[in-house]
Amino acid sequence: MTSCERGARHGGILFIDLDNFKTINDTFGHDIGDLLLQQVAGRLSACVREADTVARLGGDEFVVMLEDLSHLPLLAAAQIESIGEKILASLNYPYQLDMHKYNSTPSIGASLFGSQHEAPEELFRQADIAMYQAKKAGRNTLRFFDPAMQAAISTRIRLESDLRHAISEQKQLLPYYQLQVDSEGCVIGAETLTRWLHPERGIISPAEFIPLAEETGLILPLGHWILTCACRQLALWSKHTETDFLSIAVNISAQQFHQPSFANDVLKLIGQFAVNPARLKLEITESMLLDNIADTIAKMNLLKASGVNFAMDDFGTGYSSLQYLKKLPLDQIKIDQSFVRDIAIDASDKAIVRTIIAMARSMNLAVIAEGVETEYQRQHLLDAGCTNFQGYLFSVAMPIEQLD
Ligand code: C2E
Ligand code: CA
Ligand code: CA
């Protein structure tokens, strides 16, 4: 616990009790019961990492201590949950005990530590209580001590499985489009924003499901799907002179971008739909520069050479150095909506916006402001030299039928 605290990480305790252990002792004798305990111990050790601890407290009670989990409580709880599920599955396999084939199940109680300064005894008590809740819930299951944590975990698990389903079925995900306009108010294109039409919950905001998709890797199929939608739409627009100049901006997650196949995937889609690559704008964020900057630059250069455009999304909210920024083949900088929101009343936001625009100009980059809601904001931005806009003043994100 001290070590987790020092590293500002969370840890977890799993209290594992075998269901109906007494029966095996009573039926087959203690020697066979001992064999079961030994095999359970072996399976538990195989489920955890080297640094984790597996212990037997006594009888049929085992404790697993997990260290070095995420610094975010909910994410750490999800990690405990996932290891707990692994243990549950592993202990559910039939055992060969001497001549007997035997099925056994565990009840598992879980508790998280590292958020507050808990006493070890208190932590054991919590995990023990949670284990009894697992028994009460019908055995062969896992429960968290904190009911709020349990609820949050259950919601997250349901959402994850629903999202997995939504991505494979694809009918529930919809590409919405939000207009981008120039200084005259003429439409120059749109940013595509994913919407999830959940069968029970209705429209779920990407602010809720994109982080989940990133945590679970589902962002990869999702990201490919939205890129495909964008290319298909560009192909349709290219057939008419009224629309063939319109561009589509697509949000690219760092994970997706760092896939070895990313550049190829994009080029393949461009070829498949025969779209003009100059109409496709990939929105990346400064977080992409956190690791493997050389790879990022190489990939961007490759795509850039094929005519694809790049915009730096949420500009001003990250920490990337201007030195790096200079090396990226960017076309556009997107001023984050947090600066736009208070531009009329906050002098420092006003100064930041002016600085960003001046810097972009000197680097020969176009500038677009997002989250523009009022004519007042638009005028301020225009006076500061910003020429492209996006926000509720012009349109919300909408389905393609409405945009057409
Ligand atoms: P973002 O890329 O910064 O997108 C802009 C967000 O601001 C959108 O929220 C948009 O609806 C909202 N917005 C637009 N105009 C205004 C305005 O005038 N005022 C205010 N208050 N808000 C405005 P949305 O659609 O909920 O998307 C949230 C975030 O989810 C996006 O932020 C983006 O980071 C992510 N996202 C959405 N779709 C995708 C996707 O297909 N792939 C990936 N990787 N990320 C996505
Ligand atoms: Ca964006
Ligand atoms: Ca943004």
Side-chain angles (χ1 to χ4, degrees):
M1 289 174 76
T2 310
S3 135
C4 279
E5 225 166 81
R6 194 183 307 128
R9 314 286 290 180
H10 283 95
I13 288 277
L14 294 167
F15 229 82
I16 301 155
D17 186 279
L18 303 183
D19 300 329
N20 309 313
F21 181 67
K22 211 171 120 30
T23 325
I24 188 172
N25 275 337
D26 294 348
T27 328
F28 302 114
H30 284 90
D31 289 353
I32 298 295
D34 285 354
L35 279 180
L36 177 64
L37 293 178
Q38 284 165 15
Q39 293 188 17
V40 166
R43 291 186 192 184
L44 286 178
S45 305
C47 284
V48 301
R49 299 164 304 180
E50 193 93 31
D52 299 325
T53 306
V54 176
R56 174 170 169 247
L57 280 193
D60 59 343
E61 277 186 355
F62 292 87
V63 169
V64 167
M65 184 172 72
L66 307 168
E67 288 182 59
D68 215 15
L69 304 177
S70 170
H71 64 284
L72 304 168
L74 198 57
L75 195 50
Q79 291 171 319
I80 297 174
E81 160 86 29
S82 118
I83 296 170
E85 289 296 336
K86 197 167 144 196
I87 289 175
L88 206 57
S90 162
L91 298 191
N92 262 272
Y93 274 104
Y95 297 81
Q96 189 65 47
L97 307 173
D98 202 11
M99 305 300 289
H100 311 279
K101 201 162 177 162
Y102 187 77
N103 284 301
S104 171
T105 59
S107 293
I108 306 178
S111 192
L112 175 79
F113 64 87
S115 288
Q116 294 138 23
H117 193 87
E118 305 92 344
E121 300 75 30
E122 173 59 14
L123 205 64
F124 267 52
R125 200 183 60 80
Q126 291 181 356
D128 198 26
I129 290 174
M131 191 272 292
Y132 274 100
Q133 281 161 353
K135 291 257 187 229
K136 239 170 60 191
R139 299 163 189 247
N140 198 17
T141 185
L142 179 142
R143 282 289 176 276
F144 266 86
F145 168 70
D146 182 352
M149 186 67 85
Q150 180 67 47
I153 289 276
S154 305
T155 309
R156 188 186 174 283
I157 289 172
R158 200 169 324 121
L159 203 64
E160 181 184 338
S161 99
D162 287 356
L163 183 60
R164 207 172 281 282
H165 176 77
I167 290 171
S168 65
E169 291 289 309
Q170 294 197 350
K171 294 247 156 53
Q172 292 178 17
L173 292 182
L174 301 169
Y176 270 40
Y177 297 88
Q178 184 178 32
L179 298 180
Q180 298 186 335
V181 304
D182 66 11
S183 54
E184 311 286 311
C186 295
V187 178
I188 49 174
E191 175 181 9
T192 179
L193 295 155
T194 304
R195 293 291 178 270
W196 179 7
L197 192 56
H198 191 280
E200 283 139 34
R201 293 181 51 191
I203 297 261
I204 301 182
S205 154
E208 185 175 350
F209 69 80
I210 294 288
L212 178 70
E214 282 179 341
E215 257 174 49
T216 53
L218 289 170
I219 194 70
L220 299 178
L222 190 154
H224 191 261
W225 165 81
I226 192 88
L227 258 176
T228 312
C229 292
C231 288
R232 187 180 295 126
Q233 191 54 47
L234 284 173
L236 288 173
W237 280 347
S238 73
K239 296 202 175 76
H240 308 280
T241 45
E242 300 94 330
T243 51
D244 71 350
F245 61 95
L246 295 172
S247 66
I248 295 183
V250 181
N251 293 289
I252 304 296
S253 113
Q255 214 185 119
Q256 184 187 6
F257 186 87
H258 288 309
Q259 285 291 300
S261 65
F262 178 72
N264 253 331
D265 293 346
V266 174
L267 295 177
K268 227 158 125 188
L269 284 173
I270 288 173
Q272 183 187 335
F273 290 96
V275 301
N276 178 353
R279 302 287 180 263
L280 184 63
K281 187 159 60 185
L282 303 183
E283 290 198 0
I284 62 169
T285 57
E286 291 168 87
S287 68
M288 234 163 262
L289 306 174
L290 287 181
D291 49 46
N292 215 342
I293 178 90
D295 172 65
T296 305
I297 296 175
K299 254 183 207 162
M300 285 179 75
N301 278 329
L302 182 74
L303 285 165
K304 180 78 202 163
S306 310
V308 176
N309 287 312
F310 283 97
M312 182 61 86
D313 203 358
D314 307 336
F315 189 79
T317 58
Y319 303 96
S320 61
S321 82
L322 296 179
Q323 201 56 264
Y324 280 153
L325 214 60
K326 218 174 61 183
K327 293 193 184 132
L328 304 177
L330 287 170
D331 300 281
Q332 191 182 53
I333 272 176
K334 199 169 197 181
I335 304 176
D336 188 65
Q337 42 184 295
S338 60
F339 303 118
V340 173
R341 192 175 308 129
D342 295 335
I343 192 173
I345 45 171
D346 187 323
S348 66
D349 280 349
K350 200 188 283 182
I352 288 172
V353 165
R354 280 190 186 279
T355 309
I356 292 176
I357 294 169
M359 184 209 68
R361 275 202 172 153
S362 74
M363 290 168 79
N364 253 327
L365 298 170
V367 186
I368 186 166
E370 68 178 338
V372 183
E373 296 181 351
T374 65
E375 175 54 31
Y376 197 82
Q377 290 167 339
R378 192 193 75 95
Q379 197 57 53
H380 259 292
L381 288 157
L382 194 63
D383 291 347
C386 179
T387 49
N388 290 177
F389 310 93
Q390 183 182 340
Y392 296 161
L393 179 62
F394 313 97
S395 93
V396 294
M398 56 196 157
I400 193 67
E401 301 77 36
Q402 200 176 332
L403 181 136
D404 278 345

